[in-house]
Amino acid sequence: MLLPVLLKIWTTISIMTNFSKLVVDSSTLPNVQHSGTRLLSTSLKCSNQSLNGEKFERVIRNNEFFGRLSKCGRTYLANRGGWRQLTSDNDFEHGRETILHFVWPNKSGPQFHDLTTLEPAKVRPFPIRITNILDDKILLNDLLAGTNVMPKSVNVPEQADPNQLYFVKHRHGAQGKSVYAYHRNALLMTWWNDSSKKKNVQDFLIQEEIPPALDSKGRKFALRSHLLLFYRHGEQLQALLHRDVTCQSHSMPYDRSSLAKAAHVSQAGKHHPKPQLLEELDEDHPAKHCFEQLLDSCKVLISKLRTATTSLDATHPDVTLFALAGADHLIDSNGETKLCEINSHPALGWGSMKNVDHGVYKRLIEETLAIVVFGDDYAATSFVPIR
């Protein structure tokens, strides 16, 4: 008796789960199977079942398929219009399945590995095997080897200069949590050979410190730029660099001999000064006029990335793949920029970027959605093409 009751409850839950859907507004819906919850979107044609802002918010908020969408992103999509909600009665009329038009999950959310299918969405993030080339510090260093875009690295401590300061970074570290500064070769060797620490040394990248440029209060600083990468079948990998680049000074003055992590690592310490855009910096700040240099280094990066991602040629003709990546840059004492690392799922106004003005990320997210979801021309945005 208990089993039929449980089966009935499970069936009821499954049906209710499928009631809220955003669907492709088309007369010829593709027959695509997709297990689990389906949240689907429309073309830009409005319908008499339009999904208004408040209802749109309720449908997609806290859903794993839209984990990267902040409130401003959800509001922007709703205000652009054309979205409608269908019930199970007309969602599956004539036995046809529907697919998503757009998804943007967090890195810990659903992952979509198959390039060749429309499932589950027409506009979706790159597969993790592609973004991992950027996220993995060792793979990124290998990709850019010999280009002088990143700080110089060494493979083993024996190659290190005894008089140089080195940064040891875990290949998957984030927010400065797995970055260590070592002042002398002997200390680096001690760490490397310390078997008491639960680590695989092959998962760490060793980079030389670049002699840093300093702000007016003697602090190091880091720059955060954003790259919009997208790929459509039959085209090259496309890349745009947003003009809103933030500058974050460290929480304490720089002292090369200091053992304080906050003197060397941007995310360490407390009471950081408020981040500023390049355009807000004083005229004599070392980063004030560095945008063209950032653009040049990104050109090298994208050129190498295009060579490394030929597998994208297999992408379904109706699919757009995209990523909004955050790139961290340093400036040396000669005024030259160096790429530090890239994150394909950067904080967008929260976490380490919570002190950036809300308008910066509102503009970034809205312009990203305008380009990848609605197909707007980048020329109407603050994105600059990386050719």
Side-chain angles (χ1 to χ4, degrees):
M1 293 294 294
L2 181 59
L3 183 58
V5 172
L6 290 175
L7 287 174
K8 184 175 181 180
I9 293 173
W10 175 255
T11 302
T12 302
I13 292 174
S14 298
I15 292 173
M16 292 179 66
T17 300
N18 287 323
F19 254 72
S20 292
K21 299 178 177 72
L22 304 172
V23 302
V24 179
D25 188 8
S26 169
S27 59
T28 55
L29 297 173
N31 183 15
V32 177
Q33 300 295 320
H34 174 51
S35 61
T37 302
R38 288 175 290 271
L39 291 180
L40 312 165
S41 73
T42 73
S43 68
L44 303 185
K45 294 184 293 183
C46 292
S47 73
N48 57 6
Q49 296 173 298
S50 62
L51 199 56
N52 63 32
E54 182 179 343
K55 195 172 183 182
F56 185 92
E57 171 81 7
R58 289 200 304 269
V59 169
I60 69 173
R61 186 180 182 185
N62 298 326
N63 185 278
E64 60 182 356
F65 284 102
F66 302 96
R68 297 294 290 169
L69 275 177
S70 60
K71 183 174 177 58
C72 68
R74 298 190 297 269
T75 300
Y76 176 77
L77 288 179
N79 290 342
R80 284 290 298 249
W83 306 94
R84 64 190 178 101
Q85 187 176 22
L86 300 183
T87 67
S88 57
D89 292 337
N90 48 12
D91 188 11
F92 296 99
E93 76 173 350
H94 307 306
R96 294 176 302 186
E97 290 276 8
T98 55
I99 61 166
L100 296 81
H101 178 70
F102 163 73
V103 293
W104 199 6
N106 283 318
K107 195 171 186 178
S108 59
Q111 298 295 319
F112 316 114
H113 304 291
D114 191 349
L115 296 171
T116 64
T117 178
L118 272 171
E119 185 187 7
K122 288 185 175 182
V123 180
R124 62 182 189 251
F126 285 98
I128 198 168
R129 66 178 181 274
I130 300 296
T131 55
N132 198 42
I133 299 173
L134 303 176
D135 291 327
D136 187 316
K137 295 177 180 62
I138 292 178
L139 294 182
L140 180 64
N141 185 72
D142 292 345
L143 180 73
L144 294 172
T147 64
N148 201 36
V149 169
M150 297 183 72
K152 182 180 177 181
S153 64
V154 296
N155 294 323
V156 292
E158 288 85 348
Q159 299 175 352
D161 183 340
N163 300 312
Q164 180 64 265
L165 177 65
Y166 287 90
F167 290 96
V168 180
K169 307 176 180 180
H170 192 277
R171 66 194 309 164
H172 300 304
Q175 299 182 0
K177 294 178 181 177
S178 296
V179 178
Y180 311 95
Y182 290 98
H183 292 79
R184 298 189 305 276
N185 192 16
L187 291 178
L188 185 56
M189 286 296 297
T190 299
W191 174 86
W192 187 270
N193 294 320
D194 186 357
S195 60
S196 67
K197 300 204 180 282
K198 295 180 179 180
K199 65 178 185 296
N200 180 355
V201 293
Q202 303 306 318
D203 285 335
F204 288 84
L205 175 67
I206 305 174
Q207 287 181 322
E208 282 187 5
E209 179 197 40
I210 63 169
L214 304 176
D215 67 13
S216 61
K217 295 187 177 180
R219 299 170 298 202
K220 289 175 64 176
F221 55 86
L223 306 175
R224 166 63 63 86
S225 69
H226 292 92
L227 300 165
L228 176 57
L229 311 174
F230 57 96
Y231 179 85
R232 298 183 179 111
H233 183 78
E235 301 178 3
Q236 276 191 322
L237 174 69
Q238 303 296 311
L240 306 170
L241 177 65
H242 204 274
R243 284 198 173 276
D244 286 346
V245 178
T246 56
C247 178
Q248 174 67 75
S249 289
H250 287 215
S251 62
M252 66 178 293
Y254 172 72
D255 179 354
R256 189 174 185 274
S257 63
S258 175
L259 298 178
K261 188 174 181 178
H264 305 286
V265 179
S266 62
Q267 296 297 328
K270 299 179 180 180
H271 310 300
H272 289 77
K274 185 176 176 60
Q276 293 178 286
L277 295 176
L278 296 185
E279 62 193 45
E280 299 171 332
L281 298 174
D282 293 338
E283 191 63 32
D284 59 352
H285 193 287
K288 178 69 174 180
H289 302 289
C290 73
F291 185 82
E292 291 301 322
Q293 279 198 62
L294 300 182
L295 192 59
D296 288 341
S297 64
C298 289
K299 289 177 182 177
V300 177
L301 167 69
I302 299 306
S303 176
K304 294 289 186 179
L305 193 59
R306 283 172 177 152
T307 302
T309 55
T310 54
S311 63
L312 293 175
D313 292 344
T315 302
H316 189 285
D318 294 327
V319 165
T320 296
L321 303 172
F322 77 98
L324 179 61
D328 292 338
H329 311 263
L330 307 172
I331 297 184
D332 68 18
S333 55
N334 294 320
E336 295 185 4
T337 63
K338 296 289 183 181
L339 176 63
C340 186
E341 62 183 64
I342 298 178
N343 185 347
S344 66
H345 292 73
L348 298 174
W350 55 80
S352 59
M353 295 290 113
K354 64 182 179 181
N355 293 323
V356 177
D357 283 337
H358 172 72
V360 172
Y361 284 106
K362 181 177 184 293
R363 180 164 55 247
L364 176 67
I365 292 170
E366 288 180 354
E367 292 181 354
T368 295
L369 296 175
I371 293 170
V372 300
V373 177
F374 298 100
D376 290 0
D377 190 339
Y378 70 82
T381 72
S382 296
F383 279 106
V384 177
I386 302 172
R387 303 195 187 281

